[in-house]
Every structure is written in C-alpha cells, then in structure tokens.
Amino acid sequence: MRYQRPKGTADILPGTSETWQFVEQTARDLFARYRFDEIRTPMFENFEVFSRTSGDTSDIVTKEMYDFKDKGDRHLSLRPEGTAGVVRAFVENKLYGPETQKPYKVYYMGPMFRYERPQSGRQREFHQIGVEAFGSNAPELDVEVIALGMNLLSKLGLKHLRLALNTLGDQETRAAYRQALIDFLEPHFDELSDDSKVRLHKNPLRVLDSKDAHDQEIVADAPSILDFLTPDATTHFNQVKASLDALGIAYDVDATMVRGLDYYNHTIFEIMADSPALGEGYTTVLAGGRYNGLVEELGGPEMPGVGFGMGVERLVLLMQAEKVAVPNDHPLDVYVVGIGDETSIETLKLVQAIRRAGLTADRDYLGRKPKAQFKTANRLDAHYTLTIGDQELANQTANLKAMATGEEVSVPLADIYQDFQAVVAQKFTTK
Ligand code: ATP
Ligand code: MG
C-alpha cells in the first residue's frame, strides 16, 4: 500500500500521454483561433475562494473539498474547479480595468481535486481544460463559448454529441422560482433525502440536482424555471437560441438542468457524449454557463462572465472508445548502429549531430550486437539507419540506409557533421 498511488489518482504513461498532448495541443490551437490567451493560477487557494463561489450547499464545498490547514494555520484548499481561481486572479490583478480589452478571454488547463468515490471517468485528481470570457452580456458571447466547446470536441474526434441547454434567468427569476420550488417541495419534506432536506430552504435549486433516485422522482413534477423568466431573461435566452440556430448548432432545452455550482445564471449548458465507455446513456464531458455576479462576489466590480470546463479523463476515455487516431509527432528519423566497442564515442557524436540538425535520433546503450540493433531500428520504425564499424571509422565514413527502399550509400562523416539534412536531401530523392 505504502508505495501505491493515492486512491482516485492515475499515472498517465507513454502510450496514453500522446493522447493527452494531442488534446492539449488541439485545444491551444483552437483557443488561439478564438483569441483566448492562457492564464495559469495556483493549484491551491484560500478556502473562501471556493466556498464563496461554489456555494455553501454545493456538493463540492460540503463533501468534495481537499482542504487543510498549512503550517501557518491558513485554511487552504486544492482547487476543485478552475473558474473560482481565474475570477480571483481577474479581480486581484485588476484585469477588469480599462487597460484590458473586453471581453477578456482566457483559458486554462490543469489538475483539479475533488474527494469523490472513484469510478470510470471520476477521479480525485482529474484534469480540466476550460475557458472564461469576462465583460460582456452579449448572448452571442454565450454562443461563441458553446460553439468553441462543440468545435473542440468534434475536432478531437467525438461523435454522437448532444448539447443540453437551459437558463437560470436573472436574480428576479431565481427569487420567484426559488419560492415556487419551496412551495412545491415542502409537502414532500419527509420523503426527501437528508441532503435535500438541508437544501430545501438554503438552496432549493440544489434539490433538482440531487443524485438520489427518490428525490429525482419527486422533482420530476416540480415547476419549470422557464415559467418564471423575467422579460429580460426571456430575451437573453431567446437570443442565445436564435444564435445557435443561425450557426446550425442543435440543442435540447432541459429545464431541469441546474448544474453543480451555485454561481451560474442565465445560460447554462452541458455537452454530452453517448458512449458505453462511461456507462449507459449520455455522459457530460464539458459544461458551463454564465456567471454574472461572480466577479463582484470576489470583491471586483460588476462584471459579467461566461465559460466552460471540460473533463479531460472523460474525454480521453471517449476518444479511446471512438478509436480516434492520434498523430505521432515524434517518429524516429535515424537509428545509429555502432559495430564494435570502438565506435561508441563516434555514434554518440553522430546522434548528437543529427539532433542538432533538427531530426530525431537514437542509438544502443546496452552493448547489443548489430543484428539486435537493426531489429530495434525496425521495431522503432526508423526512417534511416546510419551504420558505422571499424572499417568506416578508419575511413571516416558511415553507411546511410533508407529503410523504406533499402537504398544505401556511404557518406563522409565530415558531411554529416556539417549538415545532416543536406546529406539526406542529396543522397535520397524521396525521404
Ligand atoms: P458530475 O455531475 O458528473 O459530478 P459536475 O457537475 O460535478 O459533474 P463540473 O463541476 O461541471 O462537473 O465539471 C466539469 C466537467 O469536469 C464534468 O463535466 C466532467 O467531465 C469533469 N469532472 C468533474 N468531476 C470530475 C471527477 N471527479 N473526475 C473526472 N472528471 C470530472
Ligand atoms: Mg460532481
């Protein structure tokens, strides 16, 4: 036990890390196209940053926080999600000021921590890639964020995506709906789960998000938030839907969706994928929404925001289930074969020269016989082998062989050291 990784964590090994790199690179490239810049915030924050923003009755704060006192008796928490830290940084660095372009658009990627029961696609250390855009109320910005999420998932090869959409309206909507929900739930009080009993008066919307089966039966008949939208909230939601229609992005309105964090208002959405890799039915990979008021909550001015967070573990499981082909960015260009101990220093100089020339190179370090070295070159799918034995060393040459054609030429070492790429270009017409 002592030397096993902590429960709910994972080692991402070569073979899988390529997929992660592909995901991260694809995301970076796409974010750049949408003109989002990267922000990096600490992996831990003061506990209040999360308790203020996620909400006192959210699962995250009540059950899932990795919080602790440090040696200076500060109450800290490993971050359970990305938005709170980004908003904290946005306020602390006064990014709301006139010096920055609005909307202020950033993205992040990195580990998040939640104390949860581990299962497929659910870990205690997991990773999110997310975006945030501050400073505009335009419904078109909500739609740009949604489109970016859809775009990213389809670029990564996911099919069978479903966009679920809802609105939580504005303050006034929430207040009216809150009361209606309390009125509806109170007669069922005794039947509710313990969590929901606590939440009924503190935050009745949370009851809608309960994972308890009997709670879910009760709330199935609850009033719909869509019947409580103010004219402003209705307009915003209609504009979001119209813009999605204009972009040809299909969606299902799910009036019972509330999301796990308290800070949302107006648009909320989840992008789900249908795959047996994560159990029956649709699983949410990417989720987000509008959080007007969050900047103020952390001491900033009134400044709207909208964003999403995507779970990378779930995404990777889905990509594997869909057998998405991940490009190999580092094929082996040259394997240098040394015959006899005397060539070892020369082969070391050769791999270094080839790497300096901008190609990938490797050699043997286990004193293997030439035959075994050639076998390795084949197994690693080397494009070329460069062979040097006693004779070649004496002549100051090496044999360069194109593995695809079997074509082989003798090349002066001096030429290789001067410009290996030029040697390849001269000796072989096809690379
Ligand atoms: P769930 O209802 O599945 O617990 P959530 O509402 O807690 O999800 P969010 O806080 O919205 O999730 O996080 C966004 C995304 O991050 C999720 O859609 C999911 O893909 C991923 N995610 C959340 N918690 C975990 C976890 N413990 N392990 C792996 N991925 C996670
Ligand atoms: Mg959760």
Side-chain angles (χ1 to χ4, degrees), residues 64 114 116 122:
E64 300 173 358
R114 296 185 194 177
E116 297 202 70
R122 193 176 293 286

Side-chain angles (χ1 to χ4, degrees), residues 36 89 120 132 160 180 247 253 257 265 279 308 327 379 385 392:
F36 283 70
S120 176
E132 317 290 355
H160 319 295
L247 293 185
V253 174
M257 180 171 72
N265 41 46
F308 70 66
R379 216 188 48 231
T385 52
E392 287 79 12

Side-chain angles (χ1 to χ4, degrees), residues 237-275:
F237 195 44
N238 285 342
Q239 285 174 343
V240 166
K241 289 190 287 186
S243 298
L244 284 170
D245 292 339
L247 293 185
I249 299 175
Y251 55 86
D252 298 321
V253 174
D254 176 357
T256 62
M257 180 171 72
V258 296
R259 310 280 314 111
L261 303 157
D262 276 358
Y263 50 59
Y264 290 112
N265 41 46
H266 288 291
T267 316
I268 54 173
F269 64 94
E270 297 192 356
I271 305 178
M272 302 183 248
D274 179 16
S275 169

Side-chain angles (χ1 to χ4, degrees), residues 332 334-337 351 355 360-365 380:
L332 178 57
V334 187
Y335 193 85
V336 178
V337 176
V351 286
R355 291 164 184 164
T360 62
D362 223 335
R363 51 155 276 185
D364 170 69
Y365 286 101
L380 298 177

Side-chain angles (χ1 to χ4, degrees), residues 59-60 64 114 116 122 209 211 260 314:
D59 277 345
I60 287 186
E64 300 173 358
R114 296 185 194 177
E116 297 202 70
R122 193 176 293 286
D209 202 31
K211 306 272 193 292
R314 285 186 203 178

Side-chain angles (χ1 to χ4, degrees), residues 115-126:
Y115 194 79
E116 297 202 70
R117 199 168 63 79
Q119 49 193 290
S120 176
R122 193 176 293 286
Q123 294 177 187
R124 291 181 174 175
E125 181 187 37
F126 65 102

Side-chain angles (χ1 to χ4, degrees), residues 46-261:
N46 285 313
F47 178 83
E48 289 72 29
V49 170
F50 304 116
S51 60
R52 289 270 329 179
T53 53
S54 296
D56 292 339
T57 53
S58 65
D59 277 345
I60 287 186
V61 173
T62 56
K63 299 179 191 154
E64 300 173 358
M65 288 275 249
Y66 267 97
D67 64 319
F68 57 97
K69 291 277 177 71
D70 76 358
K71 293 189 193 336
D73 208 35
R74 300 173 190 90
H75 191 187
L76 302 171
S77 177
L78 302 185
R79 62 183 186 194
E81 55 100 35
T83 303
V86 172
V87 172
R88 195 268 312 135
F90 182 77
V91 174
E92 186 165 351
N93 295 285
K94 300 192 168 56
L95 302 174
Y96 47 75
E99 309 78 45
T100 66
Q101 186 69 36
K102 303 298 177 311
Y104 188 81
K105 302 195 289 188
V106 289
Y107 73 87
Y108 58 84
M109 45 183 76
M112 307 291 161
F113 306 86
R114 296 185 194 177
Y115 194 79
E116 297 202 70
R117 199 168 63 79
Q119 49 193 290
S120 176
R122 193 176 293 286
Q123 294 177 187
R124 291 181 174 175
E125 181 187 37
F126 65 102
H127 297 76
Q128 282 188 346
I129 296 178
V131 305
E132 317 290 355
F134 297 96
S136 166
N137 266 313
E140 291 80 4
L141 187 61
D142 306 25
V143 171
E144 174 163 298
V145 165
I146 294 172
L148 173 53
M150 292 295 272
N151 214 186
L152 179 58
L153 293 179
S154 37
K155 252 187 168 337
L156 291 169
L158 294 199
K159 299 179 192 89
H160 319 295
L161 297 174
R162 192 186 140 215
L163 169 63
L165 185 72
N166 193 21
T167 176
L168 296 176
D170 47 25
Q171 290 279 343
E172 218 181 302
T173 306
R174 285 283 278 266
Y177 184 55
R178 188 193 138 87
Q179 194 50 54
L181 257 188
I182 293 176
D183 294 345
F184 169 81
L185 290 170
E186 262 175 344
H188 299 282
F189 186 82
D190 293 336
E191 299 168 64
L192 291 172
S193 69
D194 291 345
D195 274 349
S196 292
K197 280 184 176 130
V198 174
R199 288 166 176 171
L200 174 57
H201 287 102
K202 278 196 182 164
N203 189 350
L205 255 74
R206 283 262 72 79
V207 180
L208 296 184
D209 202 31
S210 171
K211 306 272 193 292
D212 181 274
H214 190 57
D215 285 356
Q216 286 176 356
E217 278 173 35
I218 296 171
V219 303
D221 299 320
S224 164
I225 192 159
L226 299 180
D227 295 328
F228 294 83
L229 298 181
T230 59
D232 279 356
T234 304
T235 305
H236 189 94
F237 195 44
N238 285 342
Q239 285 174 343
V240 166
K241 289 190 287 186
S243 298
L244 284 170
D245 292 339
L247 293 185
I249 299 175
Y251 55 86
D252 298 321
V253 174
D254 176 357
T256 62
M257 180 171 72
V258 296
R259 310 280 314 111
L261 303 157

